[in-house]
Amino acid sequence: MSRRDDLSPEDRRIWARVAGSVTPAKPKKAVRIISGAAVTDPPAAPLPKGPVKARGIAAPYAPPVAAPARPRGHPEALEPRRQRRLSRERDPIEARIDLHGYGRFQAQDALTAFLIGAQARGYRSVLVITGQGRRGGSGVIRASVHEWLQGPALRGVVSGFAPAARHHGGDGALYVTIRRS
C-alpha cells in the first residue's frame, strides 16, 4: 500500500491546495571552475600585448595571496631572550597567582579568570605558581596547566609560556606572556 492510499479525501484536498500555492524555484546558473577560480560570466576579451598606453584600462583582478598564517591562539615557547629577561627581572612580572591548595577544577577556573583579568588590565607577563606536587612527583595541577594554557578558553589570551627560573619557583612555576587585547 502506498502513502497516497493512506490519505483521506480531506488530506488530499489540503495537499492539493498547498502544492498549488508553491511556485518552483528558478534554476541557478552553473558555476564554471577554471584553475581554482569561480567564473560565472564568459571570459572577457584578451588584453592587448605590450605596454598599455591608453588610460582607463586596468590590469585583470588577481586575488591577493596571503602567506599561510599560523592558527592564532596556539601559545609558543617563550624566546630564550625573553625568558632570560623575565628570570633576571629586567622585564617586570606584573602579577602572580599561586594555585597551591586548589582542586583541579577550581585551579583551572581561577587560572582562566586570572589570565583574562590580567589581559584586561594590560599586563604583558605574569607568574603562575603550580607547585611541585606531593613528594616531588608531578602534581595534578602542574601536569594539567600546559593543557589549560593551550586550550580554547585561553587561546586569545596566552601568547607563550616557559618554566620559571629557580628563584621564581623553578619547575613548580611558569612565566606566561599575555597577548594584547
Side-chain angles (χ1 to χ4, degrees):
M1 198 179 212
S2 70
R3 289 185 152 248
R4 267 200 161 178
D5 296 336
D6 293 345
L7 296 176
S8 68
E10 178 66 19
D11 291 336
R12 285 188 191 138
R13 186 182 65 76
I14 293 172
W15 180 250
R17 286 187 74 189
V18 170
S21 68
V22 176
T23 57
K26 295 179 182 178
K28 292 187 177 182
K29 195 174 192 181
V31 175
R32 194 171 29 150
I33 308 266
I34 299 175
S35 68
V39 179
T40 55
D41 296 330
L47 292 175
K49 293 182 182 178
V52 178
K53 295 183 181 179
R55 291 185 184 192
I57 298 178
Y61 173 75
V65 178
R70 177 180 63 85
R72 182 182 174 137
H74 292 289
E76 299 174 345
L78 289 183
E79 297 171 0
R81 183 172 176 223
R82 173 86 165 148
Q83 186 175 357
R84 198 174 321 114
R85 289 182 63 82
L86 286 168
S87 69
R88 293 179 181 169
E89 297 182 10
R90 296 229 165 70
D91 283 349
I93 295 173
E94 297 167 308
R96 301 166 196 262
I97 184 170
D98 189 347
L99 299 175
H100 283 101
Y102 286 99
R104 182 182 189 279
F105 299 109
Q106 293 170 329
Q108 183 178 9
D109 293 342
L111 178 65
T112 302
F114 171 74
L115 291 174
I116 290 172
Q119 184 185 37
R121 288 182 201 93
Y123 295 163
R124 298 292 294 140
S125 56
V126 296
L127 182 67
V128 176
I129 302 168
T130 61
Q132 299 247 350
R134 292 193 178 150
R135 297 183 205 107
S138 178
V140 175
I141 295 172
R142 180 178 163 208
S144 302
V145 76
H146 293 281
E147 180 183 325
W148 298 341
L149 292 173
Q150 293 175 342
L154 295 174
R155 261 195 200 137
V157 177
V158 176
S159 66
F161 57 91
R166 187 169 184 189
H167 64 276
H168 283 138
D171 292 334
L174 293 168
Y175 297 125
V176 179
T177 55
I178 300 174
R179 294 182 196 277
R180 293 175 195 230
S181 55

